[in-house]
Amino acid sequence: ELKVEQNPLFLSMQEGKNYTIYCNYSTTSDRLYWYRQDPGKSLESLFVLLSNGAVKQEGRLMASLDTKARLSTLHITAAVHDLSATYFCAVDISGYNALIFGKGTTLSVSS
Amino acid sequence: GAVVSQHPSRVICKSGTSVKIECRSLDFQATTMFWYRQFPKKSLMLMATSNEGSKATYEQGVEKDKFLINHASLTLSTLTVTSAHPEDSSFYICSASLLAGESTDTQYFGPGTRLTVL
């Protein structure tokens, strides 16, 4: 059974600080996704990581993938309040985009 | 970019009634669509994979007779919650890939439908 584990599940940060969210998965997968969800809203796609060593950056967020370790990280640089949301990683189990999600990391950034 | 819509966005119904939720890909054809449900402050759980012109593939533990999925065309999939009960109250989200079986790099999610069963 494929398991996707995120940690931490809750993260309270101060503005300007850096932090990393971790995503471990239990079986081989070709694709790993990161999504953002605001309260009461659907998912916003952040990153898709397709190969070992892939690194993508958008603004203050950077995602990386180590397929050998089955680990992806989402690094937050100099956090700002607008980044407060829940972040999910998800793994494609079939090659057809049927995704298994982690439990999500709820990020709260305060000044 | 690719847009996926859902209708309705919110629905409140009485216990025992059936509710239909529509998922449409507005500017692309989606051979495969997916249905997820999300409980408050929880993660998304894949319910089923919907393929145009064939029967949906349900995940373990999801009752196919309760959650009827019809993928009538390349732009429309519907989820019908039959004989709804309060425990069916949830946030239902659909998604679509641009092409089935391809190494697409993005899956597009609909805005979700919040179902409340009284």
Side-chain angles (χ1 to χ4, degrees):
Chain A
E1 179 189 356
L2 175 63
K3 292 183 179 179
V4 181
E5 295 183 348
Q6 280 182 244
N7 71 85
L9 298 182
F10 297 95
L11 179 56
S12 181
M13 295 179 64
Q14 283 188 318
E15 282 190 329
K17 299 291 186 181
N18 305 332
Y19 210 84
T20 301
I21 300 171
Y22 298 89
C23 176
N24 288 93
Y25 54 99
S26 60
T27 65
T28 302
S29 175
D30 293 332
R31 285 172 271 184
L32 189 136
Y33 302 76
W34 284 97
Y35 293 93
R36 169 181 171 146
Q37 186 179 38
D38 291 296
K41 304 292 185 181
S42 189
L43 300 180
E44 174 190 352
S45 178
L46 295 175
F47 301 108
V48 180
L49 303 169
L50 300 175
S51 61
N52 186 43
V55 177
K56 291 192 176 181
Q57 184 166 3
E58 181 72 33
R60 301 175 186 275
L61 302 178
M62 183 174 71
S64 65
L65 178 63
D66 181 343
T67 57
K68 294 181 181 178
R70 296 177 184 167
L71 170 68
S72 180
T73 61
L74 180 66
H75 187 73
I76 302 156
T77 301
V80 293
H81 180 70
D82 287 350
L83 290 179
S84 297
T86 298
Y87 294 85
F88 292 96
C89 65
V91 174
D92 180 358
I93 61 171
S94 64
Y96 288 81
N97 278 343
L99 300 180
I100 301 298
F101 283 81
K103 291 185 176 180
T105 297
T106 299
L107 173 65
S108 175
V109 182
S110 58
S111 57
Chain B
V3 178
V4 176
S5 71
Q6 279 183 245
H7 178 80
S9 58
R10 292 177 181 270
V11 57
I12 301 173
C13 69
K14 292 182 179 179
S15 186
T17 62
S18 294
V19 175
K20 179 185 285 188
I21 303 170
E22 293 186 347
C23 176
R24 294 181 185 272
S25 55
L26 296 185
D27 49 4
F28 66 99
Q29 292 185 333
T31 308
T32 305
M33 291 183 174
F34 305 90
W35 287 95
Y36 298 84
R37 69 184 294 182
Q38 183 180 32
F39 291 105
K41 299 186 179 180
K42 298 292 184 182
S43 188
L44 282 77
M45 301 295 294
L46 178 65
M47 298 175 66
T49 302
S50 169
N51 296 294
E52 187 268 337
S54 63
K55 291 182 179 180
T57 302
Y58 290 81
E59 295 300 303
Q60 190 174 8
V62 178
E63 298 177 59
K64 65 175 85 173
D65 294 331
K66 179 165 187 65
F67 298 100
L68 300 179
I69 292 173
N70 185 356
H71 198 144
S73 72
L74 288 173
T75 59
L76 173 64
S77 176
T78 60
L79 168 67
T80 301
V81 183
T82 62
S83 186
H85 290 284
E87 57 265 31
D88 298 325
S89 299
S90 189
F91 193 46
Y92 292 87
I93 306 175
C94 73
S95 70
S97 299
L98 280 171
L99 292 171
E102 297 285 339
S103 295
T104 67
D105 60 357
T106 303
Q107 181 173 158
Y108 298 94
F109 284 82
T113 296
R114 187 162 303 282
L115 170 64
T116 302
V117 184
L118 302 177

